């Protein structure tokens, strides 16, 4: 993991309930996408999607759909889809915007 935030400095008192630091796991990236309701029912758990990170990162990567929300957001006309992307070589930074294209539609 990567240290994202440090809550205590060396020499400070450590309490059992207080966190010391916050870690981010970046070897497995979680992707969250918001889809138009018109696509509801077409995206299924287990489907693969091609992930295209914005420049300057770029490239093409395969991710797998892990969750398709069953609750739609009427205000925005969207629903949420979550995907997992293996990043074992740690080449992709977390938090970058991406385009995605579902395969097998």
């Amino acid at each position: 993991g990567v240290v994202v935030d440090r809550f205590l400095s060396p020499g400070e008192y450590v309490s059992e309930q207080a966190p010391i630091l916050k870690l981010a796991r970046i070897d497995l990236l979680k992707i969250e996408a918001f889809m138009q309701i018109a696509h509801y029912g077409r995206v299924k758990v287990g489907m693969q999607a091609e992930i295209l990170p914005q420049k300057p990162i770029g490239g093409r990567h395969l991710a797998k759909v892990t969750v398709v929300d069953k609750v739609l957001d009427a205000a925005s006309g969207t629903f949420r889809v979550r995907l997992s992307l293996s990043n074992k070589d740690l080449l992709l930074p977390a938090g970058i915007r991406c385009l995605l294209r579902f395969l097998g539609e």
Side-chain angles (χ1 to χ4, degrees):
V2 175
V3 176
V4 175
D5 204 354
R6 187 175 70 180
F7 302 111
L8 297 175
S9 297
E12 287 190 77
Y13 176 75
V14 177
S15 166
E16 286 184 30
Q17 288 89 17
I20 298 170
L21 53 88
K22 183 179 188 179
L23 291 175
R25 181 180 178 188
I26 60 170
D27 65 330
L28 180 67
L29 298 175
K30 303 291 183 179
I31 299 165
E32 201 168 86
F34 295 90
M35 309 279 301
Q36 294 295 317
I37 290 176
H39 299 288
Y40 192 77
R42 295 170 58 191
V43 179
K44 310 274 186 212
V45 171
M47 285 179 75
Q48 286 196 327
E50 185 177 47
I51 306 301
L52 308 161
Q54 71 181 21
K55 298 212 182 282
I57 305 302
R60 296 180 187 280
H61 308 275
L62 286 180
K64 187 175 187 179
V65 175
T66 56
V67 176
V68 176
D69 274 359
K70 304 240 185 271
V71 177
L72 308 178
D73 182 30
S76 65
T78 61
F79 66 99
R80 186 171 40 187
V81 176
R82 292 185 209 138
L83 304 95
S84 289
L85 172 61
S86 177
N87 189 33
K88 291 194 185 302
D89 51 10
L90 307 179
L91 292 177
L92 293 173
I96 191 166
R97 286 187 174 269
C98 301
L99 294 176
L100 63 90
R101 183 175 62 111
F102 290 98
L103 305 176
E105 283 193 89

